[in-house]
Amino acid sequence: MSDLAVAFGLVLVIEGLLWALSPALGRHLLAAAAQTSEDSLRKAGWAAVAVGALVVWLVRG
């Protein structure tokens, strides 16, 4: 359970860095995402899930 808490904390750090260092870039990315088709966003989300699971599997083995 502590690994899940650490993972959640890292997500918050990475997300927070985007907004802290470059809020204009964050707004630009949100606008681009709003104009992207739902199907493309879904495919990108599944690709991120697969890559993330692969990274965890390779690191934790």
Side-chain angles (χ1 to χ4, degrees):
M1 189 62 157
S2 66
D3 286 344
L4 182 61
V6 169
F8 183 66
L10 287 173
V11 167
L12 291 175
V13 167
I14 292 167
E15 291 276 336
L17 279 173
L18 169 68
W19 294 106
L21 297 177
S22 182
L25 176 62
R27 284 193 180 110
H28 178 71
L29 292 172
L30 284 174
Q35 295 178 356
T36 304
S37 72
E38 192 172 303
D39 188 53
S40 294
L41 290 173
R42 184 172 285 116
K43 288 177 183 175
W46 281 116
V49 168
V51 170
L54 178 65
V55 168
V56 170
W57 179 70
L58 288 173
V59 171
R60 291 291 183 168

mmCIF file of all heavy atoms in Angstrom:
data_model
loop_
_atom_site.group_PDB
_atom_site.id
_atom_site.type_symbol
_atom_site.label_atom_id
_atom_site.label_comp_id
_atom_site.label_asym_id
_atom_site.label_seq_id
_atom_site.Cartn_x
_atom_site.Cartn_y
_atom_site.Cartn_z
ATOM 1 N N MET A 1 0.823 -1.192 0.000
ATOM 2 C CA MET A 1 0.000 0.000 0.000
ATOM 3 C C MET A 1 0.868 1.257 0.000
ATOM 4 O O MET A 1 0.482 2.281 -0.558
ATOM 5 C CB MET A 1 -0.928 -0.038 1.217
ATOM 6 C CG MET A 1 -1.962 1.020 1.215
ATOM 7 S SD MET A 1 -3.069 0.855 -0.192
ATOM 8 C CE MET A 1 -4.464 1.694 0.378
ATOM 9 N N SER A 2 2.052 1.176 0.630
ATOM 10 C CA SER A 2 2.919 2.348 0.645
ATOM 11 C C SER A 2 3.443 2.664 -0.762
ATOM 12 O O SER A 2 3.678 3.834 -1.085
ATOM 13 C CB SER A 2 4.078 2.150 1.615
ATOM 14 O OG SER A 2 4.930 1.112 1.166
ATOM 15 N N ASP A 3 3.626 1.637 -1.600
ATOM 16 C CA ASP A 3 4.053 1.887 -2.974
ATOM 17 C C ASP A 3 3.000 2.691 -3.731
ATOM 18 O O ASP A 3 3.337 3.573 -4.523
ATOM 19 C CB ASP A 3 4.309 0.568 -3.723
ATOM 20 C CG ASP A 3 5.593 -0.115 -3.290
ATOM 21 O OD1 ASP A 3 6.435 0.547 -2.651
ATOM 22 O OD2 ASP A 3 5.740 -1.309 -3.584
ATOM 23 N N LEU A 4 1.742 2.398 -3.488
ATOM 24 C CA LEU A 4 0.661 3.135 -4.136
ATOM 25 C C LEU A 4 0.675 4.600 -3.689
ATOM 26 O O LEU A 4 0.504 5.511 -4.505
ATOM 27 C CB LEU A 4 -0.687 2.496 -3.824
ATOM 28 C CG LEU A 4 -1.903 3.131 -4.482
ATOM 29 C CD1 LEU A 4 -1.792 3.070 -6.000
ATOM 30 C CD2 LEU A 4 -3.166 2.422 -4.022
ATOM 31 N N ALA A 5 0.909 4.844 -2.425
ATOM 32 C CA ALA A 5 0.972 6.212 -1.913
ATOM 33 C C ALA A 5 2.155 6.963 -2.522
ATOM 34 O O ALA A 5 2.036 8.138 -2.884
ATOM 35 C CB ALA A 5 1.063 6.207 -0.392
ATOM 36 N N VAL A 6 3.285 6.293 -2.647
ATOM 37 C CA VAL A 6 4.459 6.915 -3.267
ATOM 38 C C VAL A 6 4.178 7.232 -4.730
ATOM 39 O O VAL A 6 4.509 8.317 -5.223
ATOM 40 C CB VAL A 6 5.700 6.004 -3.127
ATOM 41 C CG1 VAL A 6 6.843 6.498 -3.981
ATOM 42 C CG2 VAL A 6 6.119 5.914 -1.670
ATOM 43 N N ALA A 7 3.561 6.300 -5.445
ATOM 44 C CA ALA A 7 3.222 6.531 -6.847
ATOM 45 C C ALA A 7 2.281 7.723 -6.994
ATOM 46 O O ALA A 7 2.465 8.573 -7.878
ATOM 47 C CB ALA A 7 2.598 5.278 -7.453
ATOM 48 N N PHE A 8 1.291 7.808 -6.139
ATOM 49 C CA PHE A 8 0.355 8.929 -6.176
ATOM 50 C C PHE A 8 1.084 10.243 -5.896
ATOM 51 O O PHE A 8 0.848 11.251 -6.561
ATOM 52 C CB PHE A 8 -0.779 8.703 -5.165
ATOM 53 C CG PHE A 8 -1.824 9.775 -5.192
ATOM 54 C CD1 PHE A 8 -2.637 9.946 -6.298
ATOM 55 C CD2 PHE A 8 -1.988 10.627 -4.115
ATOM 56 C CE1 PHE A 8 -3.606 10.935 -6.329
ATOM 57 C CE2 PHE A 8 -2.950 11.623 -4.142
ATOM 58 C CZ PHE A 8 -3.762 11.782 -5.242
ATOM 59 N N GLY A 9 1.988 10.227 -4.928
ATOM 60 C CA GLY A 9 2.776 11.419 -4.618
ATOM 61 C C GLY A 9 3.630 11.854 -5.796
ATOM 62 O O GLY A 9 3.738 13.048 -6.090
ATOM 63 N N LEU A 10 4.232 10.907 -6.493
ATOM 64 C CA LEU A 10 5.047 11.241 -7.662
ATOM 65 C C LEU A 10 4.203 11.827 -8.787
ATOM 66 O O LEU A 10 4.641 12.750 -9.483
ATOM 67 C CB LEU A 10 5.804 10.009 -8.155
ATOM 68 C CG LEU A 10 6.977 9.572 -7.284
ATOM 69 C CD1 LEU A 10 7.529 8.239 -7.774
ATOM 70 C CD2 LEU A 10 8.057 10.631 -7.277
ATOM 71 N N VAL A 11 2.999 11.312 -8.968
ATOM 72 C CA VAL A 11 2.095 11.883 -9.970
ATOM 73 C C VAL A 11 1.805 13.343 -9.625
ATOM 74 O O VAL A 11 1.844 14.222 -10.497
ATOM 75 C CB VAL A 11 0.788 11.070 -10.077
ATOM 76 C CG1 VAL A 11 -0.266 11.824 -10.868
ATOM 77 C CG2 VAL A 11 1.057 9.720 -10.701
ATOM 78 N N LEU A 12 1.530 13.623 -8.367
ATOM 79 C CA LEU A 12 1.255 15.000 -7.948
ATOM 80 C C LEU A 12 2.470 15.903 -8.153
ATOM 81 O O LEU A 12 2.330 17.058 -8.580
ATOM 82 C CB LEU A 12 0.810 15.034 -6.485
ATOM 83 C CG LEU A 12 -0.555 14.427 -6.198
ATOM 84 C CD1 LEU A 12 -0.819 14.417 -4.694
ATOM 85 C CD2 LEU A 12 -1.641 15.180 -6.920
ATOM 86 N N VAL A 13 3.668 15.395 -7.873
ATOM 87 C CA VAL A 13 4.888 16.182 -8.077
ATOM 88 C C VAL A 13 5.063 16.520 -9.555
ATOM 89 O O VAL A 13 5.312 17.672 -9.925
ATOM 90 C CB VAL A 13 6.134 15.430 -7.547
ATOM 91 C CG1 VAL A 13 7.421 16.077 -8.029
ATOM 92 C CG2 VAL A 13 6.109 15.379 -6.029
ATOM 93 N N ILE A 14 4.920 15.525 -10.416
ATOM 94 C CA ILE A 14 5.109 15.748 -11.853
ATOM 95 C C ILE A 14 4.048 16.696 -12.400
ATOM 96 O O ILE A 14 4.351 17.627 -13.148
ATOM 97 C CB ILE A 14 5.124 14.407 -12.600
ATOM 98 C CG1 ILE A 14 6.379 13.623 -12.211
ATOM 99 C CG2 ILE A 14 5.080 14.609 -14.101
ATOM 100 C CD1 ILE A 14 6.369 12.173 -12.628
ATOM 101 N N GLU A 15 2.801 16.477 -12.023
ATOM 102 C CA GLU A 15 1.725 17.364 -12.470
ATOM 103 C C GLU A 15 1.938 18.781 -11.930
ATOM 104 O O GLU A 15 1.758 19.760 -12.652
ATOM 105 C CB GLU A 15 0.368 16.837 -11.993
ATOM 106 C CG GLU A 15 -0.076 15.576 -12.659
ATOM 107 C CD GLU A 15 -0.756 15.833 -13.991
ATOM 108 O OE1 GLU A 15 -1.277 16.932 -14.196
ATOM 109 O OE2 GLU A 15 -0.760 14.910 -14.809
ATOM 110 N N GLY A 16 2.321 18.880 -10.681
ATOM 111 C CA GLY A 16 2.534 20.192 -10.075
ATOM 112 C C GLY A 16 3.691 20.948 -10.716
ATOM 113 O O GLY A 16 3.637 22.176 -10.857
ATOM 114 N N LEU A 17 4.731 20.233 -11.118
ATOM 115 C CA LEU A 17 5.867 20.883 -11.773
ATOM 116 C C LEU A 17 5.445 21.569 -13.072
ATOM 117 O O LEU A 17 5.920 22.661 -13.385
ATOM 118 C CB LEU A 17 6.980 19.878 -12.049
ATOM 119 C CG LEU A 17 7.897 19.551 -10.891
ATOM 120 C CD1 LEU A 17 8.847 18.420 -11.266
ATOM 121 C CD2 LEU A 17 8.683 20.774 -10.459
ATOM 122 N N LEU A 18 4.588 20.921 -13.834
ATOM 123 C CA LEU A 18 4.114 21.531 -15.076
ATOM 124 C C LEU A 18 3.486 22.891 -14.797
ATOM 125 O O LEU A 18 3.829 23.888 -15.431
ATOM 126 C CB LEU A 18 3.102 20.618 -15.774
ATOM 127 C CG LEU A 18 2.344 21.249 -16.946
ATOM 128 C CD1 LEU A 18 3.297 21.511 -18.104
ATOM 129 C CD2 LEU A 18 1.200 20.384 -17.380
ATOM 130 N N TRP A 19 2.574 22.931 -13.837
ATOM 131 C CA TRP A 19 1.860 24.176 -13.553
ATOM 132 C C TRP A 19 2.742 25.191 -12.837
ATOM 133 O O TRP A 19 2.587 26.400 -13.038
ATOM 134 C CB TRP A 19 0.607 23.882 -12.735
ATOM 135 C CG TRP A 19 -0.368 23.091 -13.533
ATOM 136 C CD1 TRP A 19 -0.661 21.769 -13.397
ATOM 137 C CD2 TRP A 19 -1.146 23.548 -14.641
ATOM 138 N NE1 TRP A 19 -1.572 21.377 -14.343
ATOM 139 C CE2 TRP A 19 -1.888 22.454 -15.125
ATOM 140 C CE3 TRP A 19 -1.282 24.783 -15.274
ATOM 141 C CZ2 TRP A 19 -2.757 22.556 -16.193
ATOM 142 C CZ3 TRP A 19 -2.158 24.874 -16.349
ATOM 143 C CH2 TRP A 19 -2.880 23.778 -16.796
ATOM 144 N N ALA A 20 3.676 24.748 -12.024
ATOM 145 C CA ALA A 20 4.561 25.675 -11.310
ATOM 146 C C ALA A 20 5.594 26.303 -12.239
ATOM 147 O O ALA A 20 5.900 27.496 -12.124
ATOM 148 C CB ALA A 20 5.263 24.948 -10.163
ATOM 149 N N LEU A 21 6.131 25.531 -13.159
ATOM 150 C CA LEU A 21 7.207 26.021 -14.020
ATOM 151 C C LEU A 21 6.697 26.706 -15.282
ATOM 152 O O LEU A 21 7.347 27.617 -15.795
ATOM 153 C CB LEU A 21 8.145 24.873 -14.400
ATOM 154 C CG LEU A 21 8.883 24.215 -13.236
ATOM 155 C CD1 LEU A 21 9.717 23.041 -13.728
ATOM 156 C CD2 LEU A 21 9.752 25.232 -12.511
ATOM 157 N N SER A 22 5.564 26.256 -15.811
ATOM 158 C CA SER A 22 5.080 26.831 -17.062
ATOM 159 C C SER A 22 3.556 26.735 -17.166
ATOM 160 O O SER A 22 3.030 25.878 -17.875
ATOM 161 C CB SER A 22 5.732 26.113 -18.247
ATOM 162 O OG SER A 22 5.311 26.696 -19.447
ATOM 163 N N PRO A 23 2.857 27.623 -16.479
ATOM 164 C CA PRO A 23 1.392 27.577 -16.555
ATOM 165 C C PRO A 23 0.865 27.811 -17.974
ATOM 166 O O PRO A 23 -0.163 27.253 -18.348
ATOM 167 C CB PRO A 23 0.923 28.671 -15.604
ATOM 168 C CG PRO A 23 2.118 29.328 -15.051
ATOM 169 C CD PRO A 23 3.331 28.638 -15.557
ATOM 170 N N ALA A 24 1.567 28.627 -18.768
ATOM 171 C CA ALA A 24 1.120 28.872 -20.144
ATOM 172 C C ALA A 24 1.168 27.578 -20.955
ATOM 173 O O ALA A 24 0.262 27.314 -21.755
ATOM 174 C CB ALA A 24 1.982 29.944 -20.802
ATOM 175 N N LEU A 25 2.204 26.781 -20.765
ATOM 176 C CA LEU A 25 2.294 25.495 -21.461
ATOM 177 C C LEU A 25 1.158 24.574 -21.026
ATOM 178 O O LEU A 25 0.556 23.887 -21.852
ATOM 179 C CB LEU A 25 3.646 24.828 -21.202
ATOM 180 C CG LEU A 25 3.831 23.432 -21.797
ATOM 181 C CD1 LEU A 25 3.731 23.469 -23.315
ATOM 182 C CD2 LEU A 25 5.158 22.844 -21.362
ATOM 183 N N GLY A 26 0.852 24.569 -19.737
ATOM 184 C CA GLY A 26 -0.257 23.757 -19.242
ATOM 185 C C GLY A 26 -1.569 24.152 -19.896
ATOM 186 O O GLY A 26 -2.347 23.288 -20.312
ATOM 187 N N ARG A 27 -1.825 25.443 -20.012
ATOM 188 C CA ARG A 27 -3.045 25.912 -20.671
ATOM 189 C C ARG A 27 -3.059 25.514 -22.139
ATOM 190 O O ARG A 27 -4.094 25.121 -22.684
ATOM 191 C CB ARG A 27 -3.169 27.419 -20.539
ATOM 192 C CG ARG A 27 -3.607 27.854 -19.179
ATOM 193 C CD ARG A 27 -4.031 29.313 -19.187
ATOM 194 N NE ARG A 27 -4.440 29.693 -17.859
ATOM 195 C CZ ARG A 27 -3.752 30.524 -17.090
ATOM 196 N NH1 ARG A 27 -2.648 31.062 -17.519
ATOM 197 N NH2 ARG A 27 -4.197 30.812 -15.888
ATOM 198 N N HIS A 28 -1.904 25.626 -22.789
ATOM 199 C CA HIS A 28 -1.807 25.249 -24.203
ATOM 200 C C HIS A 28 -2.105 23.753 -24.381
ATOM 201 O O HIS A 28 -2.827 23.362 -25.298
ATOM 202 C CB HIS A 28 -0.415 25.588 -24.734
ATOM 203 C CG HIS A 28 -0.203 25.204 -26.160
ATOM 204 N ND1 HIS A 28 -0.807 25.864 -27.208
ATOM 205 C CD2 HIS A 28 0.533 24.209 -26.709
ATOM 206 C CE1 HIS A 28 -0.451 25.286 -28.340
ATOM 207 N NE2 HIS A 28 0.365 24.281 -28.064
ATOM 208 N N LEU A 29 -1.553 22.924 -23.505
ATOM 209 C CA LEU A 29 -1.795 21.480 -23.591
ATOM 210 C C LEU A 29 -3.263 21.145 -23.343
ATOM 211 O O LEU A 29 -3.822 20.262 -24.004
ATOM 212 C CB LEU A 29 -0.899 20.731 -22.606
ATOM 213 C CG LEU A 29 0.597 20.746 -22.922
ATOM 214 C CD1 LEU A 29 1.398 20.146 -21.775
ATOM 215 C CD2 LEU A 29 0.886 20.017 -24.213
ATOM 216 N N LEU A 30 -3.882 21.845 -22.392
ATOM 217 C CA LEU A 30 -5.308 21.610 -22.133
ATOM 218 C C LEU A 30 -6.161 22.004 -23.334
ATOM 219 O O LEU A 30 -7.114 21.303 -23.684
ATOM 220 C CB LEU A 30 -5.762 22.382 -20.890
ATOM 221 C CG LEU A 30 -5.336 21.805 -19.550
ATOM 222 C CD1 LEU A 30 -5.743 22.753 -18.422
ATOM 223 C CD2 LEU A 30 -5.938 20.443 -19.330
ATOM 224 N N ALA A 31 -5.814 23.124 -23.966
ATOM 225 C CA ALA A 31 -6.570 23.555 -25.149
ATOM 226 C C ALA A 31 -6.400 22.553 -26.287
ATOM 227 O O ALA A 31 -7.360 22.226 -26.990
ATOM 228 C CB ALA A 31 -6.105 24.944 -25.594
ATOM 229 N N ALA A 32 -5.184 22.049 -26.454
ATOM 230 C CA ALA A 32 -4.936 21.052 -27.507
ATOM 231 C C ALA A 32 -5.711 19.772 -27.214
ATOM 232 O O ALA A 32 -6.290 19.160 -28.123
ATOM 233 C CB ALA A 32 -3.448 20.770 -27.623
ATOM 234 N N ALA A 33 -5.740 19.365 -25.954
ATOM 235 C CA ALA A 33 -6.476 18.151 -25.588
ATOM 236 C C ALA A 33 -7.973 18.338 -25.820
ATOM 237 O O ALA A 33 -8.662 17.402 -26.240
ATOM 238 C CB ALA A 33 -6.202 17.786 -24.131
ATOM 239 N N ALA A 34 -8.485 19.539 -25.562
ATOM 240 C CA ALA A 34 -9.910 19.801 -25.758
ATOM 241 C C ALA A 34 -10.306 19.704 -27.227
ATOM 242 O O ALA A 34 -11.452 19.392 -27.544
ATOM 243 C CB ALA A 34 -10.268 21.181 -25.204
ATOM 244 N N GLN A 35 -9.362 19.959 -28.125
ATOM 245 C CA GLN A 35 -9.656 19.904 -29.557
ATOM 246 C C GLN A 35 -9.340 18.546 -30.174
ATOM 247 O O GLN A 35 -9.619 18.323 -31.345
ATOM 248 C CB GLN A 35 -8.870 20.999 -30.286
ATOM 249 C CG GLN A 35 -9.303 22.381 -29.883
ATOM 250 C CD GLN A 35 -8.493 23.468 -30.554
ATOM 251 O OE1 GLN A 35 -7.550 23.194 -31.280
ATOM 252 N NE2 GLN A 35 -8.855 24.700 -30.289
ATOM 253 N N THR A 36 -8.769 17.648 -29.398
ATOM 254 C CA THR A 36 -8.417 16.321 -29.895
ATOM 255 C C THR A 36 -9.626 15.397 -29.767
ATOM 256 O O THR A 36 -10.390 15.484 -28.811
ATOM 257 C CB THR A 36 -7.233 15.745 -29.084
ATOM 258 O OG1 THR A 36 -6.145 16.673 -29.165
ATOM 259 C CG2 THR A 36 -6.780 14.407 -29.601
ATOM 260 N N SER A 37 -9.773 14.509 -30.733
ATOM 261 C CA SER A 37 -10.927 13.605 -30.698
ATOM 262 C C SER A 37 -10.857 12.674 -29.482
ATOM 263 O O SER A 37 -9.777 12.346 -28.994
ATOM 264 C CB SER A 37 -10.986 12.771 -31.975
ATOM 265 O OG SER A 37 -9.969 11.800 -31.988
ATOM 266 N N GLU A 38 -12.036 12.281 -29.039
ATOM 267 C CA GLU A 38 -12.123 11.395 -27.875
ATOM 268 C C GLU A 38 -11.419 10.067 -28.145
ATOM 269 O O GLU A 38 -10.766 9.514 -27.270
ATOM 270 C CB GLU A 38 -13.591 11.166 -27.529
ATOM 271 C CG GLU A 38 -13.791 10.520 -26.186
ATOM 272 C CD GLU A 38 -15.258 10.492 -25.791
ATOM 273 O OE1 GLU A 38 -15.878 11.564 -25.742
ATOM 274 O OE2 GLU A 38 -15.759 9.389 -25.539
ATOM 275 N N ASP A 39 -11.540 9.575 -29.359
ATOM 276 C CA ASP A 39 -10.895 8.309 -29.716
ATOM 277 C C ASP A 39 -9.372 8.410 -29.611
ATOM 278 O O ASP A 39 -8.722 7.510 -29.080
ATOM 279 C CB ASP A 39 -11.310 7.896 -31.123
ATOM 280 C CG ASP A 39 -10.846 6.501 -31.478
ATOM 281 O OD1 ASP A 39 -11.126 5.564 -30.698
ATOM 282 O OD2 ASP A 39 -10.181 6.358 -32.530
ATOM 283 N N SER A 40 -8.816 9.517 -30.087
ATOM 284 C CA SER A 40 -7.361 9.713 -30.009
ATOM 285 C C SER A 40 -6.894 9.814 -28.563
ATOM 286 O O SER A 40 -5.855 9.262 -28.191
ATOM 287 C CB SER A 40 -6.946 10.967 -30.774
ATOM 288 O OG SER A 40 -7.167 10.812 -32.146
ATOM 289 N N LEU A 41 -7.661 10.537 -27.745
ATOM 290 C CA LEU A 41 -7.308 10.650 -26.330
ATOM 291 C C LEU A 41 -7.366 9.294 -25.634
ATOM 292 O O LEU A 41 -6.507 8.959 -24.812
ATOM 293 C CB LEU A 41 -8.239 11.641 -25.628
ATOM 294 C CG LEU A 41 -8.066 13.114 -26.006
ATOM 295 C CD1 LEU A 41 -9.168 13.946 -25.365
ATOM 296 C CD2 LEU A 41 -6.702 13.620 -25.603
ATOM 297 N N ARG A 42 -8.388 8.499 -25.995
ATOM 298 C CA ARG A 42 -8.525 7.178 -25.391
ATOM 299 C C ARG A 42 -7.338 6.281 -25.771
ATOM 300 O O ARG A 42 -6.770 5.589 -24.936
ATOM 301 C CB ARG A 42 -9.845 6.536 -25.821
ATOM 302 C CG ARG A 42 -10.092 5.189 -25.153
ATOM 303 C CD ARG A 42 -11.484 4.663 -25.427
ATOM 304 N NE ARG A 42 -12.448 5.418 -24.616
ATOM 305 C CZ ARG A 42 -13.398 6.187 -25.117
ATOM 306 N NH1 ARG A 42 -13.549 6.317 -26.412
ATOM 307 N NH2 ARG A 42 -14.226 6.827 -24.319
ATOM 308 N N LYS A 43 -6.951 6.319 -27.057
ATOM 309 C CA LYS A 43 -5.805 5.523 -27.506
ATOM 310 C C LYS A 43 -4.518 5.957 -26.812
ATOM 311 O O LYS A 43 -3.714 5.127 -26.398
ATOM 312 C CB LYS A 43 -5.643 5.621 -29.018
ATOM 313 C CG LYS A 43 -6.708 4.867 -29.782
ATOM 314 C CD LYS A 43 -6.553 5.051 -31.277
ATOM 315 C CE LYS A 43 -7.672 4.351 -32.032
ATOM 316 N NZ LYS A 43 -7.623 4.595 -33.468
ATOM 317 N N ALA A 44 -4.327 7.271 -26.679
ATOM 318 C CA ALA A 44 -3.137 7.781 -25.990
ATOM 319 C C ALA A 44 -3.149 7.364 -24.516
ATOM 320 O O ALA A 44 -2.098 7.021 -23.950
ATOM 321 C CB ALA A 44 -3.067 9.297 -26.110
ATOM 322 N N GLY A 45 -4.320 7.379 -23.913
ATOM 323 C CA GLY A 45 -4.431 6.945 -22.514
ATOM 324 C C GLY A 45 -4.072 5.484 -22.337
ATOM 325 O O GLY A 45 -3.327 5.119 -21.426
ATOM 326 N N TRP A 46 -4.574 4.628 -23.233
ATOM 327 C CA TRP A 46 -4.239 3.201 -23.142
ATOM 328 C C TRP A 46 -2.759 2.957 -23.417
ATOM 329 O O TRP A 46 -2.140 2.090 -22.794
ATOM 330 C CB TRP A 46 -5.110 2.374 -24.076
ATOM 331 C CG TRP A 46 -6.473 2.124 -23.512
ATOM 332 C CD1 TRP A 46 -7.658 2.560 -24.012
ATOM 333 C CD2 TRP A 46 -6.799 1.390 -22.319
ATOM 334 N NE1 TRP A 46 -8.690 2.144 -23.206
ATOM 335 C CE2 TRP A 46 -8.189 1.416 -22.157
ATOM 336 C CE3 TRP A 46 -6.042 0.719 -21.366
ATOM 337 C CZ2 TRP A 46 -8.843 0.808 -21.086
ATOM 338 C CZ3 TRP A 46 -6.689 0.104 -20.295
ATOM 339 C CH2 TRP A 46 -8.068 0.157 -20.162
ATOM 340 N N ALA A 47 -2.184 3.736 -24.328
ATOM 341 C CA ALA A 47 -0.746 3.612 -24.599
ATOM 342 C C ALA A 47 0.049 3.995 -23.346
ATOM 343 O O ALA A 47 1.036 3.325 -22.997
ATOM 344 C CB ALA A 47 -0.344 4.486 -25.781
ATOM 345 N N ALA A 48 -0.376 5.051 -22.655
ATOM 346 C CA ALA A 48 0.300 5.461 -21.423
ATOM 347 C C ALA A 48 0.174 4.394 -20.342
ATOM 348 O O ALA A 48 1.134 4.116 -19.612
ATOM 349 C CB ALA A 48 -0.272 6.794 -20.932
ATOM 350 N N VAL A 49 -0.988 3.782 -20.247
ATOM 351 C CA VAL A 49 -1.183 2.697 -19.277
ATOM 352 C C VAL A 49 -0.235 1.539 -19.585
ATOM 353 O O VAL A 49 0.426 0.995 -18.688
ATOM 354 C CB VAL A 49 -2.655 2.212 -19.280
ATOM 355 C CG1 VAL A 49 -2.802 0.907 -18.511
ATOM 356 C CG2 VAL A 49 -3.561 3.280 -18.708
ATOM 357 N N ALA A 50 -0.136 1.165 -20.858
ATOM 358 C CA ALA A 50 0.727 0.044 -21.250
ATOM 359 C C ALA A 50 2.194 0.355 -20.971
ATOM 360 O O ALA A 50 2.923 -0.485 -20.416
ATOM 361 C CB ALA A 50 0.520 -0.279 -22.730
ATOM 362 N N VAL A 51 2.634 1.553 -21.336
ATOM 363 C CA VAL A 51 4.037 1.926 -21.104
ATOM 364 C C VAL A 51 4.314 1.998 -19.605
ATOM 365 O O VAL A 51 5.351 1.523 -19.130
ATOM 366 C CB VAL A 51 4.379 3.255 -21.804
ATOM 367 C CG1 VAL A 51 5.738 3.770 -21.372
ATOM 368 C CG2 VAL A 51 4.332 3.078 -23.317
ATOM 369 N N GLY A 52 3.403 2.565 -18.850
ATOM 370 C CA GLY A 52 3.576 2.646 -17.401
ATOM 371 C C GLY A 52 3.647 1.272 -16.761
ATOM 372 O O GLY A 52 4.495 1.019 -15.894
ATOM 373 N N ALA A 53 2.779 0.364 -17.185
ATOM 374 C CA ALA A 53 2.812 -0.999 -16.641
ATOM 375 C C ALA A 53 4.119 -1.694 -17.014
ATOM 376 O O ALA A 53 4.706 -2.417 -16.191
ATOM 377 C CB ALA A 53 1.621 -1.796 -17.156
ATOM 378 N N LEU A 54 4.602 -1.469 -18.233
ATOM 379 C CA LEU A 54 5.873 -2.058 -18.662
ATOM 380 C C LEU A 54 7.032 -1.527 -17.816
ATOM 381 O O LEU A 54 7.891 -2.301 -17.383
ATOM 382 C CB LEU A 54 6.114 -1.775 -20.147
ATOM 383 C CG LEU A 54 7.433 -2.289 -20.719
ATOM 384 C CD1 LEU A 54 7.469 -3.816 -20.685
ATOM 385 C CD2 LEU A 54 7.636 -1.769 -22.140
ATOM 386 N N VAL A 55 7.043 -0.237 -17.562
ATOM 387 C CA VAL A 55 8.101 0.349 -16.743
ATOM 388 C C VAL A 55 8.076 -0.240 -15.331
ATOM 389 O O VAL A 55 9.112 -0.630 -14.785
ATOM 390 C CB VAL A 55 7.970 1.885 -16.704
ATOM 391 C CG1 VAL A 55 8.873 2.488 -15.643
ATOM 392 C CG2 VAL A 55 8.288 2.477 -18.072
ATOM 393 N N VAL A 56 6.891 -0.322 -14.744
ATOM 394 C CA VAL A 56 6.782 -0.893 -13.398
ATOM 395 C C VAL A 56 7.244 -2.348 -13.413
ATOM 396 O O VAL A 56 7.984 -2.784 -12.513
ATOM 397 C CB VAL A 56 5.326 -0.790 -12.878
ATOM 398 C CG1 VAL A 56 5.143 -1.602 -11.597
ATOM 399 C CG2 VAL A 56 4.969 0.677 -12.642
ATOM 400 N N TRP A 57 6.847 -3.105 -14.422
ATOM 401 C CA TRP A 57 7.238 -4.512 -14.512
ATOM 402 C C TRP A 57 8.762 -4.651 -14.656
ATOM 403 O O TRP A 57 9.374 -5.511 -14.025
ATOM 404 C CB TRP A 57 6.528 -5.167 -15.685
ATOM 405 C CG TRP A 57 6.869 -6.589 -15.887
ATOM 406 C CD1 TRP A 57 6.520 -7.650 -15.102
ATOM 407 C CD2 TRP A 57 7.663 -7.137 -16.948
ATOM 408 N NE1 TRP A 57 7.037 -8.818 -15.614
ATOM 409 C CE2 TRP A 57 7.745 -8.518 -16.736
ATOM 410 C CE3 TRP A 57 8.296 -6.578 -18.056
ATOM 411 C CZ2 TRP A 57 8.446 -9.356 -17.598
ATOM 412 C CZ3 TRP A 57 8.993 -7.407 -18.901
ATOM 413 C CH2 TRP A 57 9.058 -8.767 -18.671
ATOM 414 N N LEU A 58 9.359 -3.795 -15.473
ATOM 415 C CA LEU A 58 10.817 -3.860 -15.667
ATOM 416 C C LEU A 58 11.580 -3.465 -14.396
ATOM 417 O O LEU A 58 12.591 -4.080 -14.067
ATOM 418 C CB LEU A 58 11.239 -2.959 -16.816
ATOM 419 C CG LEU A 58 10.864 -3.426 -18.217
ATOM 420 C CD1 LEU A 58 11.189 -2.339 -19.245
ATOM 421 C CD2 LEU A 58 11.571 -4.721 -18.565
ATOM 422 N N VAL A 59 11.074 -2.470 -13.690
ATOM 423 C CA VAL A 59 11.764 -1.993 -12.484
ATOM 424 C C VAL A 59 11.539 -2.936 -11.304
ATOM 425 O O VAL A 59 12.482 -3.277 -10.576
ATOM 426 C CB VAL A 59 11.304 -0.560 -12.126
ATOM 427 C CG1 VAL A 59 11.836 -0.144 -10.763
ATOM 428 C CG2 VAL A 59 11.760 0.412 -13.207
ATOM 429 N N ARG A 60 10.308 -3.367 -11.124
ATOM 430 C CA ARG A 60 9.973 -4.227 -9.986
ATOM 431 C C ARG A 60 10.188 -5.704 -10.247
ATOM 432 O O ARG A 60 10.328 -6.479 -9.314
ATOM 433 C CB ARG A 60 8.515 -4.000 -9.567
ATOM 434 C CG ARG A 60 8.267 -2.668 -8.956
ATOM 435 C CD ARG A 60 8.936 -2.590 -7.633
ATOM 436 N NE ARG A 60 8.640 -1.328 -6.983
ATOM 437 C CZ ARG A 60 8.901 -1.095 -5.732
ATOM 438 N NH1 ARG A 60 9.432 -2.027 -4.974
ATOM 439 N NH2 ARG A 60 8.641 0.069 -5.218
ATOM 440 N N GLY A 61 10.138 -6.072 -11.546
ATOM 441 C CA GLY A 61 10.397 -7.441 -11.980
ATOM 442 C C GLY A 61 9.681 -8.432 -11.191
ATOM 443 O O GLY A 61 9.834 -9.499 -10.890
#
